[in-house]
Amino acid sequence: MDKDAAIKEFKKYEEMRMQMYDFFDRFIPKKSDGTYDFENGGQIDAKEAFDMFFKLDYQARKIRGIAINCLGIKPE
């Protein structure tokens, strides 16, 4: 994989990661220190949360493969 294609995959991961945090921000209020207040949070749509996580996890696994190939190591 060339450098530009790899960078595109990393950027896609970062976008998906930010979408996940945006999702949390819609449903979970934050405390005054900026951390999530799970005790006072609303209900999260489990299917939507799982779908977002699955996409993020898939992209992370793609990036893992790119990194392994670029470094020339064998995955465990």
Side-chain angles (χ1 to χ4, degrees):
M1 176 176 284
D2 69 4
K3 182 179 178 179
D4 290 336
I7 289 171
K8 183 178 176 182
E9 294 297 331
F10 279 99
K11 286 183 179 183
K12 185 175 178 182
Y13 172 79
E14 286 300 317
E15 289 171 9
M16 295 171 101
R17 183 177 172 272
M18 292 310 300
Q19 288 173 359
M20 192 85 186
Y21 278 104
D22 290 343
F23 174 79
F24 291 148
D25 289 344
R26 282 189 289 157
F27 296 100
I28 306 168
K30 289 190 177 178
K31 297 177 185 178
S32 59
D33 65 0
T35 60
Y36 288 108
D37 185 358
F38 292 103
E39 293 177 8
N40 295 307
Q43 295 292 317
I44 291 179
D45 181 330
K47 183 178 180 335
E48 186 178 359
F50 177 79
D51 288 346
M52 292 180 78
F53 170 78
F54 185 81
K55 290 175 186 176
L56 183 68
D57 181 60
Y58 178 78
Q59 187 66 20
R61 286 182 278 133
K62 278 175 62 175
I63 290 172
R64 180 180 178 269
I66 292 167
I68 286 170
N69 288 333
C70 289
L71 296 172
I73 59 175
K74 293 182 180 180
E76 294 181 17

